[in-house]
Amino acid sequence: MSDLSAYEQTQDGGFGDYVQLLKPRVMSLVVFTAMVGLIVAPVSVHPFVAFTAILFIALGGGASGALNMWYDADIDRVMRRTRGRPIPAGRVSEGEALGFGLALSAISVVMLGLAANWFAALFLAFTIFFYAVVYTMWLKRSTPQNIVIGGAAGAFPPMIGWAVATGGVSVESVLMFLLVFMWTPPHFWALALFMKDDYSNAGVPMLTVTHGRRVTRRHIFVYTLLLAPCALALALSPIGGPVTLAAALVLNALFIRGAYLILRRDEDRAEADRYKAERAFFKLSLAYLFLHFGALLVEASLRPFGLGGW
Amino acid sequence: MAISPEHELHRRRWSRNLGLGLVLAAFVVLVFGLTIVKVSRQDEHGNPPGTEASR
């Protein structure tokens, strides 16, 4: 072994590795829902301020992702899907990720406060705390209901967007929260059914591991049924309208049908067609959320022309 | 192992330094833009729009 091969192992992360720490795919959901929350609010915001606010909400979400990757590095090393992440792959050290996450959290909260208002900034700080501490450090490894409660962290961004415009909380923003909150469990459990991750080796009590796949199928169905009234209530709220109501009726009918198909199947049939229904349901769940928030956006953009809304 | 003047490590460091430089430049532009927006929207007493004092 030459001296140079020791040098070989000191891995310096490239720029892309730090971007990957921010979980860009989760960030895209945060950007979209926060943007809709901001635009549909009854108070108008200067476009540049709105842009800055959404940017720092996204950065705060990214910072909590980095903190999550710091804390979960031991799990990520065990699971196949996450082994290539920057920390398990050895491109970024755990200490760097922690420092990166903490620094970006502080920057994003302070900048959101300066750009918009301090209520929204505190809300962002709470969201980061909720995801990094309540979900990652506490719930994820202790209860199979982890993603149910942890889903709240992903559901706060539209409320923060709303708070940027209005400086507070209202029924409409709570309904947007509820939509994402109730949507998260069926979305992730469908993924857990066909991804078959080695959660048990990693010591994460996923519902599929602790209570079995039969119970998970039932849970998906029940949550999908509970989600429908939340979506309809949002469509009937002041920020909803005919477009949202039509979208909610169609999407929830499709979603409940998909969940029912999953409920009716057993593992053998699912294995046989390689989890076709589960994969289809997962794809539908992505479209479900995107189109619901998209419909709210359509409603808001029709409003200046006297159309849209109730 | 051959010693090449441009090791893969240097390429990654360069990408990181360039990225950080661009991010910092963008941050400066952002804060400047935010300042322009905030200052140009306040009234003659320096109050932000929408507050009681600015009405």
Side-chain angles (χ1 to χ4, degrees), chain B residues 2-54:
Chain B
I3 302 174
S4 59
E6 180 78 68
H7 190 273
E8 207 263 323
L9 180 74
H10 296 110
R11 198 185 51 73
R12 260 183 283 139
R13 273 195 194 149
W14 165 246
S15 96
R16 195 171 67 179
N17 294 341
L18 179 71
L20 184 61
L22 291 176
V23 166
L24 287 177
F27 186 69
V28 169
V29 172
L30 201 73
V31 172
F32 182 70
L34 204 54
T35 309
I36 299 293
V37 169
K38 296 250 166 190
V39 171
S40 61
R41 274 158 52 95
Q42 61 194 9
D43 65 10
E44 63 271 29
H45 307 294
N47 296 306
T51 52
E52 208 49 53
S54 68

Side-chain angles (χ1 to χ4, degrees), chain A residues 286-306:
Chain A
L286 290 171
Y288 179 97
L289 201 68
F290 180 76
L291 291 175
H292 258 115
F293 278 90
L296 290 177
L297 213 51
V298 169
E299 221 73 73
S301 54
L302 288 177
R303 208 150 291 159
F305 308 103

Side-chain angles (χ1 to χ4, degrees), chain A residues 47-57 111-112 115, chain B residues 30 34:
Chain A
F48 193 81
V49 173
F51 169 77
T52 315
I54 290 165
L55 186 75
F56 286 106
I57 295 171
M111 285 307 296
L112 185 62
Chain B
L30 201 73
L34 204 54

Side-chain angles (χ1 to χ4, degrees), chain A:
Chain A
M1 189 181 181
S2 69
D3 289 343
L4 273 173
S5 58
Y7 183 63
E8 187 83 338
Q9 281 161 7
T10 42
Q11 297 242 18
D12 272 26
F15 187 69
D17 293 313
Y18 290 89
V19 174
Q20 230 190 308
L21 276 183
L22 303 179
K23 300 197 172 183
R25 285 177 70 182
V26 178
M27 240 159 119
S28 62
L29 173 78
V30 170
V31 167
F32 181 61
T33 57
M35 186 186 76
V36 173
L38 197 155
I39 292 175
V40 301
V43 184
S44 74
V45 181
H46 188 283
F48 193 81
V49 173
F51 169 77
T52 315
I54 290 165
L55 186 75
F56 286 106
I57 295 171
L59 194 69
S64 64
L67 293 172
N68 167 277
M69 286 212 200
W70 157 70
Y71 193 81
D72 276 351
D74 58 334
I75 300 179
D76 289 350
R77 277 190 200 101
V78 178
M79 293 204 299
R80 223 175 333 112
R81 179 170 61 91
T82 52
R83 217 173 274 165
R85 285 181 176 176
I87 302 175
R91 293 192 301 272
V92 175
S93 76
E94 294 188 22
E96 275 179 314
L98 173 62
F100 189 59
L102 288 177
L104 287 189
S105 301
I107 292 171
S108 57
V109 168
V110 170
M111 285 307 296
L112 185 62
L114 292 172
N117 58 68
W118 292 102
F119 178 79
L122 275 178
F123 209 153
L124 179 65
F126 174 73
T127 304
I128 297 171
F129 168 81
F130 196 90
Y131 186 71
V133 178
V134 178
Y135 170 70
T136 304
M137 297 186 188
W138 178 30
L139 295 171
K140 184 172 179 180
R141 300 178 194 220
S142 61
T143 162
Q145 297 296 313
N146 46 17
I147 52 173
V148 178
I149 308 158
F156 285 133
M159 286 187 83
I160 304 176
W162 180 276
V164 164
T166 65
V169 173
S170 67
V171 185
E172 296 94 318
S173 78
V174 172
L175 284 171
M176 285 190 283
F177 166 85
L178 273 180
L179 184 74
V180 187
F181 180 70
M182 295 304 294
W183 163 90
T184 310
H187 168 78
F188 273 112
W189 283 328
L191 182 72
L193 277 178
F194 67 80
M195 279 297 278
K196 292 207 165 176
D197 253 324
D198 10 14
Y199 285 113
S200 44
N201 298 337
V204 181
M206 279 302 274
L207 191 67
T208 42
V209 176
T210 56
H211 290 69
R213 310 175 80 79
R214 177 83 246 136
V215 175
T216 307
R217 288 170 187 280
R218 214 173 303 146
H219 269 70
I220 291 177
F221 185 64
V222 172
Y223 270 91
T224 308
L225 288 182
L226 293 174
L227 172 64
C230 299
L232 292 176
L234 182 62
L236 294 171
S237 75
I239 57 169
V243 179
T244 322
L245 185 62
L249 286 173
V250 174
L251 289 169
N252 281 287
L254 287 172
F255 213 44
I256 291 172
R257 180 176 159 269
Y260 182 69
L261 288 177
I262 288 182
L263 176 74
R264 288 285 303 274
R265 282 150 71 87
D266 53 22
E267 272 316 295
D268 294 337
R269 278 175 60 192
E271 287 281 10
D273 65 3
R274 293 174 164 218
Y275 295 91
K276 204 170 152 215
E278 287 79 1
R279 286 174 199 275
F281 184 80
F282 181 76
K283 273 201 195 123
L284 176 65
S285 74
L286 290 171
Y288 179 97
L289 201 68
F290 180 76
L291 291 175
H292 258 115
F293 278 90
L296 290 177
L297 213 51
V298 169
E299 221 73 73
S301 54
L302 288 177
R303 208 150 291 159
F305 308 103
L307 299 161
W310 296 114

